[in-house]
Amino acid sequence: MATSPNPAGSQIVIDRVSHTYRPPRGREVLALDDISLEVRAQEFIALLGPSGCGKSTLLYLVGGFMPTRFGQILVDGRPVGGPGPDRGIVFQHFALFPWKTVRANVLYGLEKLGVERAERERRAQAYIDMVGLNGFEDSLPSQLSGGMKQRAAIARTLAIDPEILLMDEPFGALDAQTRSLMQTELLTIWRRSPKTVVFVTHDVHEAVYLAQRVVVMSARPGRVKAIIETGVDHADPDVAKSRPFLDKVDEIWGLVRDEALAVERRRGA
Ligand SMILES: Nc1ncnc2c1ncn2[C@@H]1O[C@H](COP(=O)(O)OP(=O)(O)O)[C@@H](O)[C@H]1O
Ligand SMILES: [Mg+2]
């Protein structure tokens, strides 16, 4: 797919975007309020904020799963008009076809893209190997652990080779050990085949460990509260034990804490 370079040099431009949900019954919810953000090509950015602050909403708007009614979102200089193979998405709850094997799940997107059969098989196997699911090609999702399901979902998304990877708390449902393993592997994959990654999380440690910049969002309605360069050397396997890393986690946790407290107070009220 041709990419037209845009003057700002940003691959994703989110320009004064607001979003209101209007459920058929019940109250309107202002989920996002005047969000502006630019993401560079091949940048790894984390969206961090308490539950309900609109992280998923923003990701779905960039993904084109819902129309942007207020403000504008440009990808490679063009307004987002719907989902496209340039943007792959990974959800928290795997979203695999339960009746398809791992291989068939990974092949699915390639078939839809019209990739020729031999190439399809080759690519599917390469990504299954890359995420460490070699030997599980013929398993059904129900036969896999949570971590393995998420590996399969990631392989399926990577196989279509999107320039942009949108990840919505992809490791949120995993146990701590598996999560840590998956984080390290995601960084390895990102270094091997650089992509623009927008990674949603409510975990400060995860955000600092993965991202070059962390966007801290305020409690509902979601606004951009701060954008912080992590300055972390993501190639250093021991980085999470280093002083600068821990200081950065502290600094960002300080910003997030007020927002988390705002949510708690609202719940208590
Ligand atoms: N389909 C919907 N209808 C009405 N309200 C919604 C809908 N989806 C999300 N919301 C509300 O919008 C706000 C932001 O939701 P969401 O983007 O899922 O937040 P996050 O991903 O940060 O937890 C929340 O208050 C949520 O309850
Ligand atoms: Mg969410």
Side-chain angles (χ1 to χ4, degrees), residues 72-207:
Q72 165 164 255
I73 300 181
L74 303 176
V75 171
D76 288 319
R78 290 182 295 269
V80 167
D86 57 334
R87 283 151 292 144
I89 189 155
V90 178
F91 299 97
Q92 176 171 5
H93 292 291
F94 321 129
L96 295 167
F97 297 115
W99 62 88
K100 287 184 191 271
T101 63
V102 166
R103 183 188 287 109
N105 265 288
V106 177
L107 282 169
Y108 176 79
L110 296 169
E111 284 160 16
K112 275 198 17 184
L113 280 182
V115 177
E116 173 263 323
R117 189 193 174 99
E119 169 64 11
R120 219 159 63 207
E121 305 271 340
R122 193 197 61 75
R123 256 209 250 174
Q125 192 61 50
Y127 284 98
I128 288 169
D129 293 348
M130 186 189 274
V131 300
L133 279 183
N134 186 300
F136 294 90
E137 291 85 350
D138 298 315
S139 302
L140 290 167
S142 60
Q143 297 170 305
L144 304 175
S145 68
M148 290 161 88
K149 279 185 225 177
Q150 199 53 296
R151 285 167 196 270
I154 290 171
R156 185 179 61 180
T157 302
L158 289 175
I160 59 174
D161 198 21
E163 282 179 45
I164 298 172
L165 205 50
L166 306 171
M167 306 186 87
D168 192 5
E169 307 206 33
F171 308 145
L174 307 179
D175 62 80
Q177 251 172 313
T178 310
R179 180 192 297 207
S180 163
L181 201 69
M182 296 289 289
Q183 288 167 348
T184 309
E185 285 188 19
L186 177 60
L187 283 179
T188 307
I189 290 169
W190 176 66
R191 267 194 296 276
R192 223 183 287 162
S193 76
K195 295 188 182 304
T196 310
V197 183
V198 183
F199 188 100
V200 164
T201 181
H202 61 257
D203 179 334
V204 179
H205 187 278
E206 180 168 72

Side-chain angles (χ1 to χ4, degrees), residues 51-52 54-57 60 92 168-169 200:
S51 176
K55 304 181 296 295
S56 296
T57 302
Y60 299 160
Q92 176 171 5
D168 192 5
E169 307 206 33
V200 164

